[in-house]
Amino acid sequence: MWWIKKALVLDPAQGYTGERDVLVKDGFILKVGNFLEEDVPEFFGQENLEGVKIVEAAGKYLFPGLIDVHVHLREPGQEDKEDIRSGSRAAVRGGFTSVLAMANTKPVIDQRALVEFVRLQGERAGMARVYPVAAVTKGFQGQELVEMMDIREGGAVAFSDDGLGIQNAEIMRLAFEYAKLTGCPIISHCEDENLAARGVMRRGEASARLGLKGIPASAESVMVARDVLLAGEAGGKLHIAHVSTKESVMIIRTAKKLGIDVTAEVNPHHLLFSDQDVGLTRTDLKVNPPLPTKEDQEALLEGLLDGTIDMLATDHAPHTWEEKAKPFPEAPFGINSLETALAVVWQELVEKGKLPALKVIELWSRNPAQRFNLPGGTLETGSPADLVLFDPAYKERITAESMESKAQNTPFLGQELQGFPVMTWVGGKLVMADRKVICN
Amino acid sequence: MEGIPKNRIMDEDGIRRAISRISHEIVEKNKGTKDLLLIGIRTRGVPLAERIQKRIAEFEKVTLPLGLLDITLYRDDLSTIDVQPVLHETRVPFSIEGKTVILVDDVLFTGRTARAALDALIDLGRPQKIQLAVLIDRGHRELPIRADYVGKNVPTSRREIVSVCLQETDGRDEVLLLEKKS
Amino acid sequence: MQWRHKDLLDLDTLTAEEIRHIIKTAQPMKEILSRPMKKLPTLRGKNVVLLFYESSTRTRTSFETAAKILGADTTNFSVAVSSVNKGESLLDTAKTLQAMNVDLVIVRHSSSGAAEFLANVLEAGVINGGDGQHAHPTQALLDFYTLQEKLGGFEGKKIVIVGDILHSRVARSNVLGLKKLGADVTLVGPPTLLPDEMKYLGVKLSYDLDKELPGADAVMALRLQLERQQSGLFPSIREYSKLYGLSLERLKKTGKKTIVMHPGPMNRGVEIMSDLADSVQSVIEEQVTNGVAVRMALIYLLIGGGTGNVVD
Ligand SMILES: [Zn+2]
């Protein structure tokens, strides 16, 4: 039981911010409000008072735990990069109480047994809630659909071949149609492989200057257009992963106006780094989709503010040091993000007035919960006590030693950031305090 | 290299007389000008070689062929120095095969420049004889090398610097003895 | 001026003064090439490694010749005979070279940035012998040497580079350097090989060769990778050649005694016709000779003298 006193509460579900006390009992939110000292014992019940721990939270924000709908935890098969235990520990350190683990592991998660394995590994780790995302097509081959119903029974909350785009439009259309049985969204990694043509960064003057093979913006946008049309036609649920072009934003905005059931996410790195930041030795910034132009960044931010884009997601993609210590074209795509994402969004967007704090929580907690039908995302009485206490003044240098993730492929390595979660609860259980994961 | 001037070893007249004497000695020692070639070592050996060429032409009515030698690529201290020496062209537009080559330099000191020049010369062909002419011999040899023609022998200490100035390169003719700044 | 470079990776980091110093240093090297006895003691005991991940007999031979004339020992660490093709990472190869205490590594690699990657890991100097589509600085420098020799300078000279600009590290490095030297550069090619983003180079882009030829002091043809036809970048060799191939007749449009250059190896009858390649206007063979001289100059500058002031 917890009595969190005088926190600055951010709860987009109830639309408020302000100083409140938060009471937690039996893993659930008991009450949120401004209470008189003497009233509180009654809420917990006099007989329980000894078990109530008090947190003095003045000057710190309290919000529903973040839900990240796009992480790569690499287990099974690539445990040298990350595993479900290390990834879910990194998650709670970063303020995430739930994560959706992508299916591009080895083997890919395309059967119920594998889905259950991922779910169970998450439960064993006992950190963030780990929700499996299953493949859309068997073996990521883009040819035959997986047993979606059986897999949903096993605990999958969405389907995605993320890592690869589904090139065959007819398969994608069938996926939308069949997935209606499950009620789960299809998460689309929008990438036309012929247009992308094994490029390594956004095509433009920056790629021309560096002599790096470029991926045109259209490689993403034409697939976004295709998928919203297919979802509209088939009537399925579409979630577009890692939107990075202004054209994609425009298409999604139009699709929403047409009533198509589409949501979309943007990754913090696409808001914070542009193609101008890429250099031949900056493999830490090699990511897919590639870093966009400044114009794209403006459109993405506008999309977040006007509701075109529904959520933030990290696309946490750990890779070993050796894999990134290569010439740019040979290094793998991906940024290690769970432990820095909230801090940099806070430092660069919230503090600079580009994104209101309450909006960030809506984008990263409430909207993901609603779209993927997950518990959390709200502080309403009776909801699970997935909570984050966030200290906007807390400073930390990002180092290999301090990180819970197995990999350190972050562009912030060695840098000091400001604004970090200092306590994280999952289901009322404290899993992180003072920036340290609490072991069982 | 900077230094504090101590005294003047040679003035314009002194240099002129030394060149004249060396020129005569070259012709005398080689019994005429047949098969003689002059090769100046960059930088100040070049104007000295030109002056010798001109002087010999005056009294022998023969203009000896004149070449320029850059010895940078033959230096034995390249891997130990900090500076980046500028390369210049070596221009020896004639065959040295079977000839008598008079190498001309300003100062003979450790002998390393002369050694490098001998290597550079031999890469260009196989002369019959090589003789060395210098304006100043200041001693302190580190290699078994001696000059055949010397303008002036100047006993020096290692702390001293001999500075040769020529009209063509420095705008005046004189040789100074300097004390190294400590 | 100070010679402050451990490596030569691209033209971005060289100043005009440094480029001119390299050209100047190559002049005495060219004299040495004309000698019957081509061997210097300068770099005796120095070890130069040729690390070639892309086969290029020309470039490798040119570097090897240059290093050997200067008296260095050369080691070929080439794809066919080393662990390179067993999938050893470039990082591990670099560590191996470091352990061998080599003095200079000349690297050619299909990945842009591979030379810079090596330079960051190695204490030894690194010369970029061509990395991906990024840079080929020694080719550009030998082109500058040739232009200096033939045109007497760069200021106000019109230089037309024609061909597959998009994929050409030669074009990139040439443009960067020529701009610094004050030349007036025009790039010509079909839109698929000269896309809009090349405007970052800050020089004139054109699709029409015949329109750009008048007044040109030098025309440089780039090698066309014939397999690019399969990727749809141009419809046929025939059409490419018709639009962008250089011939003796076409070159008359310059109205000048224009020189013709090509980095080699040439596709005769595609980007350049034999009548022109073998004409007096062609300096293509001299480019090869100059290549050795320029590479000698660079090797000398990187591992011959120190990194202090340039002294005369
Ligand atoms: Zn993806």
Side-chain angles (χ1 to χ4, degrees):
Chain A
M1 279 169 290
W2 295 90
W3 178 6
I4 305 161
K5 283 182 166 178
K6 292 193 178 354
L8 290 162
V9 168
L10 297 170
D11 184 7
Q14 302 180 73
Y16 64 66
T17 62
E19 203 178 274
R20 302 254 194 318
D21 285 10
V22 176
L23 310 184
V24 174
K25 194 184 173 202
D26 301 330
F28 294 92
I29 306 285
L30 181 65
K31 254 181 190 321
V32 178
N34 287 307
F35 309 119
L36 294 171
E37 253 347 282
E38 56 267 35
D39 291 344
V40 172
E42 208 175 307
F43 297 141
F44 282 112
Q46 292 290 351
E47 70 282 10
N48 296 323
L49 275 187
E50 260 177 43
V52 176
K53 290 179 201 138
I54 293 173
V55 177
E56 298 292 347
K60 301 187 178 78
Y61 290 93
L62 189 89
F63 44 80
L66 302 189
I67 299 173
D68 201 292
V69 302
H70 197 148
V71 304
H72 296 272
L73 298 184
R74 308 300 188 202
E75 186 180 352
Q78 294 176 309
E79 289 86 352
D80 53 333
K81 297 174 194 258
E82 192 82 289
D83 58 28
I84 290 169
R85 184 171 181 274
S86 66
S88 60
R89 287 168 69 91
V92 297
R93 236 183 134 250
F96 299 93
T97 53
S98 296
V99 293
L100 268 62
M102 284 297 171
N104 65 336
T105 49
K106 285 181 177 169
V108 299
I109 308 302
D110 59 358
Q111 298 170 32
R112 179 170 177 164
L114 289 162
V115 170
E116 291 188 343
F117 169 76
V118 171
R119 189 165 53 77
L120 276 170
Q121 285 294 79
E123 284 169 15
R124 285 183 192 120
M127 289 287 146
R129 302 172 196 267
V130 176
Y131 297 103
V133 175
V136 175
T137 66
K138 289 174 190 160
F140 271 33
Q141 296 294 310
Q143 288 163 4
E144 291 173 41
L145 298 182
V146 299
E147 295 169 334
M148 286 187 178
M149 284 306 279
D150 196 32
I151 280 173
R152 194 203 59 183
E153 296 299 310
V157 298
F159 297 93
S160 180
D161 279 6
D162 181 67
L164 294 176
I166 294 173
Q167 303 300 301
N168 184 326
E170 172 61 0
I171 294 295
M172 196 63 177
R173 195 189 63 78
L174 290 169
F176 285 126
E177 270 190 341
Y178 193 83
K180 286 198 281 187
L181 277 177
T182 68
C184 296
I186 304 263
I187 302 175
S188 179
H189 166 118
C190 290
E191 179 180 1
D192 180 304
E193 283 170 9
N194 286 305
L195 286 171
R198 289 199 294 281
V200 296
M201 71 173 289
R202 173 65 78 79
R203 181 169 184 170
E205 291 192 17
S207 70
R209 174 166 50 79
L210 296 168
L212 290 173
K213 195 158 175 22
I215 300 172
S218 59
E220 170 182 304
S221 310
V222 297
M223 288 303 232
V224 171
R226 183 199 75 172
D227 287 353
V228 297
L229 292 173
L230 293 174
E233 197 172 85
K237 285 185 176 158
L238 165 62
H239 175 76
I240 296 171
H242 41 56
V243 172
S244 74
T245 77
K246 56 181 191 295
E247 293 81 7
S248 298
V249 175
M250 192 184 75
I251 294 162
I252 295 163
R253 188 174 286 130
T254 307
K256 285 191 165 180
K257 275 188 198 140
L258 294 171
I260 294 166
D261 189 359
V262 56
T263 53
E265 80 197 26
V266 65
N267 307 145
H269 47 255
H270 288 131
L271 298 169
L272 302 173
F273 296 104
S274 77
D275 58 348
Q276 300 300 317
D277 297 312
V278 176
L280 286 176
T281 56
R282 294 298 305 272
T283 57
D284 56 328
L285 294 180
K286 184 176 174 184
V287 67
N288 192 21
L291 296 176
T293 65
K294 298 242 188 264
E295 273 190 354
D296 290 314
Q297 290 182 321
E298 280 169 33
L300 292 172
L301 202 58
E302 199 187 312
L304 282 170
L305 290 168
D306 74 6
T308 302
I309 296 175
D310 308 85
M311 47 195 106
L312 286 163
T314 59
D315 195 1
H316 174 76
H319 290 291
T320 64
W321 178 83
E322 295 82 14
E323 290 170 305
K324 283 285 192 179
K326 284 182 179 167
F328 196 94
E330 295 166 34
F333 291 104
I335 293 177
N336 188 317
S337 198
L338 279 172
E339 287 168 86
T340 53
L342 178 58
V344 293
V345 164
W346 199 275
Q347 177 179 301
E348 298 301 321
L349 300 176
V350 176
E351 291 289 344
K352 292 182 180 170
K354 293 180 183 170
L355 210 52
L358 190 64
K359 183 75 184 172
V360 170
I361 309 309
E362 179 190 325
L363 290 166
W364 231 337
S365 184
R366 180 172 187 248
N367 292 353
Q370 293 199 323
R371 181 55 166 174
F372 293 93
N373 198 24
L374 309 172
T378 171
L379 298 181
E380 274 174 285
T381 299
S383 40
D386 290 5
L387 298 171
V388 170
L389 187 68
F390 180 89
D391 183 352
Y394 195 97
K395 288 183 183 170
E396 185 175 293
R397 189 168 298 282
I398 307 303
T399 63
E401 295 72 38
S402 68
M403 288 174 73
E404 284 288 343
S405 174
K406 284 189 179 182
Q408 291 87 40
N409 53 310
T410 157
F412 302 105
L413 198 66
Q415 288 183 37
E416 190 180 75
L417 304 177
Q418 184 178 339
F420 283 94
V422 289
M423 293 176 99
T424 304
W425 292 263
V426 175
K429 195 180 99 184
L430 186 67
V431 290
M432 191 277 285
D434 296 330
R435 305 290 302 128
K436 287 184 184 65
V437 170
I438 296 170
C439 298
N440 308 304
Chain B
M1 206 182 284
E2 291 287 299
I4 304 149
K6 279 173 85 176
N7 60 55
R8 187 141 103 160
I9 305 166
M10 274 178 148
D11 59 9
E12 199 181 327
D13 274 349
I15 293 174
R16 186 171 44 73
R17 280 195 294 273
I19 295 285
S20 187
R21 187 165 48 72
I22 289 171
S23 303
H24 278 99
E25 284 174 12
I26 289 171
V27 175
E28 205 165 299
K29 182 164 182 170
N30 293 293
K31 301 184 173 64
T33 55
K34 190 172 177 292
D35 289 338
L36 282 190
L37 305 172
L38 290 166
I39 292 183
I41 301 173
R42 284 188 189 269
T43 307
R44 289 186 186 73
V46 174
L48 289 173
E50 283 166 354
R51 292 184 192 191
I52 292 169
Q53 179 193 43
K54 202 171 153 219
R55 187 71 193 100
I56 291 175
E58 278 166 20
F59 61 80
E60 287 291 311
K61 312 290 177 226
V62 175
T63 304
L64 299 181
L66 179 80
L68 333 174
L69 201 61
D70 185 76
I71 55 120
T72 311
L73 293 170
Y74 293 85
R75 285 170 65 156
D76 59 7
D77 60 350
L78 275 177
S79 56
T80 56
I81 54 174
D82 291 338
V83 296
Q84 181 71 253
V86 173
L87 284 196
H88 290 282
E89 204 182 352
T90 287
R91 192 159 68 234
V92 181
F94 41 75
S95 167
I96 63 169
E97 209 67 33
K99 307 285 186 183
T100 297
V101 174
I102 317 294
L103 269 177
V104 184
D105 202 1
D106 53 352
V107 181
L108 180 58
F109 182 24
T110 59
R112 289 180 188 271
T113 303
R115 195 280 309 157
L118 290 172
D119 283 354
L121 206 54
I122 284 161
D123 278 357
L124 297 176
R126 187 179 180 283
Q128 179 67 34
K129 266 188 233 169
I130 302 174
Q131 297 170 352
L132 178 62
V134 297
L135 186 61
I136 306 288
D137 182 347
R138 59 167 292 193
H140 304 286
R141 215 74 79 240
E142 292 168 3
L143 297 171
I145 279 171
R146 58 161 185 81
D148 298 272
Y149 313 100
V150 178
K152 186 168 187 169
N153 283 294
V154 182
T156 59
S157 85
R158 279 191 170 270
R159 288 196 40 77
E160 291 166 330
I161 301 165
V162 174
S163 166
V164 174
C165 302
L166 298 173
Q167 196 65 46
E168 297 88 330
T169 50
D170 312 280
R172 62 185 195 281
D173 274 6
E174 66 178 358
V175 181
L176 298 173
L177 190 65
L178 314 174
E179 178 83 23
K180 259 187 210 167
K181 276 181 187 161
S182 47
Chain C
M1 168 182 165
Q2 221 182 344
W3 184 259
R4 61 203 163 87
H5 299 282
K6 168 178 98 71
D7 314 296
L8 179 81
L9 303 178
D10 52 40
L11 264 292
D12 309 47
T13 47
L14 290 180
T15 63
E17 190 188 18
E18 287 168 337
I19 295 172
R20 281 191 286 266
H21 184 63
I22 294 166
I23 294 173
K24 201 176 147 205
T25 306
Q27 276 156 9
M29 297 302 188
K30 195 171 180 184
E31 178 269 323
I32 289 157
L33 284 177
S34 67
R35 294 180 188 175
M37 163 56 207
K38 297 183 250 305
K39 184 83 179 174
L40 297 167
T42 318
L43 300 181
R44 208 161 37 191
K46 299 267 186 187
N47 195 358
V48 175
V49 169
L50 299 143
L51 182 60
F52 274 59
Y53 287 81
E54 285 184 327
S55 60
S56 166
T57 312
R58 292 172 151 258
T59 308
R60 190 179 50 73
T61 310
S62 179
F63 272 114
E64 193 167 358
T65 307
K68 282 190 163 146
I69 292 174
L70 286 167
D73 293 319
T74 59
T75 309
N76 269 296
F77 209 94
S78 63
V79 180
V81 295
S82 73
S83 51
V84 163
N85 55 348
K86 290 182 206 138
E88 184 181 74
S89 76
L90 190 57
L91 181 66
D92 283 338
T93 304
K95 285 179 178 166
T96 306
L97 295 174
Q98 186 61 55
M100 285 159 59
N101 252 320
V102 303
D103 296 291
L104 182 69
V105 177
I106 291 149
V107 60
R108 168 171 287 211
H109 201 287
S110 57
S111 292
S112 299
E116 189 178 345
F117 178 88
L118 266 187
N120 289 343
V121 182
L122 286 173
E123 275 168 46
V126 172
I127 296 181
N128 184 0
D131 64 330
Q133 297 170 19
H134 171 237
H136 195 352
T138 62
Q139 177 68 44
L141 289 164
L142 78 87
D143 290 338
F144 304 160
Y145 183 93
T146 309
L147 288 164
Q148 171 77 48
E149 219 177 50
K150 297 294 167 185
L151 306 180
F154 299 91
E155 205 62 51
K157 301 290 181 193
K158 182 174 179 184
I159 295 159
V160 175
I161 303 177
V162 54
D164 180 0
I165 309 291
L166 174 62
H167 301 98
S168 176
R169 53 195 175 201
V170 176
R172 265 186 187 70
S173 290
N174 259 288
V175 174
L176 289 174
L178 287 170
K179 273 176 68 187
K180 290 182 186 186
L181 294 167
D184 165 18
V185 186
T186 304
L187 300 175
V188 181
T192 45
L193 299 175
L194 183 59
D196 220 27
E197 64 253 31
M198 300 309 291
K199 66 177 184 281
Y200 88 90
L201 284 166
V203 297
K204 186 177 178 192
L205 310 183
S206 167
Y207 306 141
D208 187 345
L209 178 59
D210 293 323
K211 220 174 84 193
E212 304 308 328
L213 284 176
D217 296 285
V219 180
M220 191 183 298
L222 298 171
R223 178 177 166 79
L224 186 71
Q225 303 286 330
L226 301 180
E227 60 274 16
R228 304 233 185 263
Q229 188 191 327
Q230 276 97 60
S231 342
L233 284 159
F234 57 92
S236 71
I237 288 169
R238 182 172 157 269
E239 176 150 310
Y240 179 87
S241 186
K242 212 169 133 192
L243 292 172
Y244 301 104
L246 291 173
S247 67
L248 206 49
E249 186 58 34
R250 189 169 230 160
L251 209 71
K252 284 182 187 158
K253 296 194 171 136
T254 63
K256 275 191 171 176
K257 274 203 71 182
T258 307
I259 60 163
V260 177
M261 304 169 79
H262 191 293
M266 290 181 276
N267 295 304
R268 285 172 181 261
V270 181
E271 69 262 9
I272 189 164
M273 307 307 132
S274 282
D275 63 354
L276 183 61
D278 302 329
S279 74
V280 290
Q281 283 171 280
S282 160
V283 297
I284 297 165
E285 277 168 41
E286 269 192 82
Q287 284 176 275
V288 177
T289 312
N290 295 342
V292 179
V294 165
R295 288 175 179 122
M296 284 171 74
L298 286 167
I299 294 170
Y300 165 74
L301 287 168
L302 291 178
I303 59 169
T307 49
N309 288 324
V310 172
V311 293
D312 206 344

